[in-house]
Amino acid sequence: MIEKQELADGIRFAGRRAAAALEHVPDFDRQLAQEWTTADAFRHIASGAGALAGFYGMLGTDALESFSNEDAASGNDRTIEGMAEVSREQLGAMILEGSETSAAFVETLDEDDLATVVTLGDYRMPKAELVAQIWIHHPIHHAYEASQRWPL
């Protein structure tokens, strides 16, 4: 299982990498393979970067049982639309500040609680690993998708 400090460091790393990708991507409105643009992907990253504290308490409860892919997509669409006027610079700051907030939250958590195995959809893993999926792998995935520009 990922250790608490490694998890916090990973969240900070993911935020820094996403912010760097945002800073250097040339075409902010480029259409991606799915319905989002580059800007939309970074809006999505920014909107969730600091949300770990609110999410964590729901792990291991019934609060997320009925939450569907359609619910997630609808919420993402509303959030992205609501951030349409947020500048690139503001998004970068939101990503960095949010990832720091989430990483600092992780540092307050109990190691035994982080090791608690929970089920969320098809995931059955320790809370720490689920958090790593969402706050490390997920933003890096979207940042790469939004900034990749070369046909190799």
Side-chain angles (χ1 to χ4, degrees):
M1 181 186 88
I2 191 169
E3 299 291 327
K4 179 168 72 170
Q5 193 58 54
E6 183 183 14
L7 180 59
D9 292 345
I11 291 169
R12 288 182 177 105
F13 175 81
R16 288 191 309 270
R17 297 315 315 142
L22 169 62
E23 182 179 331
H24 297 289
V25 71
D27 182 0
F28 202 48
D29 295 314
R30 182 180 179 135
Q31 183 64 50
L32 303 178
Q34 31 77 3
E35 75 261 9
W36 288 356
T37 64
T38 292
D40 293 338
F42 285 110
R43 290 177 186 124
H44 174 68
I45 296 168
S47 72
L52 179 54
F55 177 82
Y56 191 83
M58 294 186 283
L59 292 176
T61 73
D62 293 337
L64 300 172
E65 280 298 311
S66 64
F67 193 74
S68 68
N69 286 337
E70 292 79 24
D71 294 332
S74 177
N76 288 340
D77 289 345
R78 282 191 307 275
T79 301
I80 288 168
E81 288 171 18
M83 296 176 73
E85 301 304 316
V86 177
S87 72
R88 183 189 292 235
E89 293 76 20
Q90 290 169 311
L91 290 174
M94 289 173 70
I95 291 167
L96 291 172
E97 291 166 13
S99 62
E100 178 57 37
T101 297
S102 289
F105 173 75
V106 164
E107 291 171 334
T108 70
L109 297 174
D110 179 72
E111 291 276 359
D112 290 336
D113 188 54
L114 283 165
T116 302
V117 174
V118 296
T119 300
L120 183 60
D122 288 343
Y123 288 117
R124 180 166 166 65
M125 59 180 64
K127 288 180 180 181
E129 291 295 336
L130 186 58
V131 169
Q133 287 287 320
I134 301 170
W135 271 268
I136 299 173
H137 302 258
H138 181 234
I140 288 173
H141 159 78
H142 283 301
Y144 175 77
E145 176 188 37
S147 63
Q148 183 270 46
R149 295 291 192 263
W150 60 90
L152 291 178

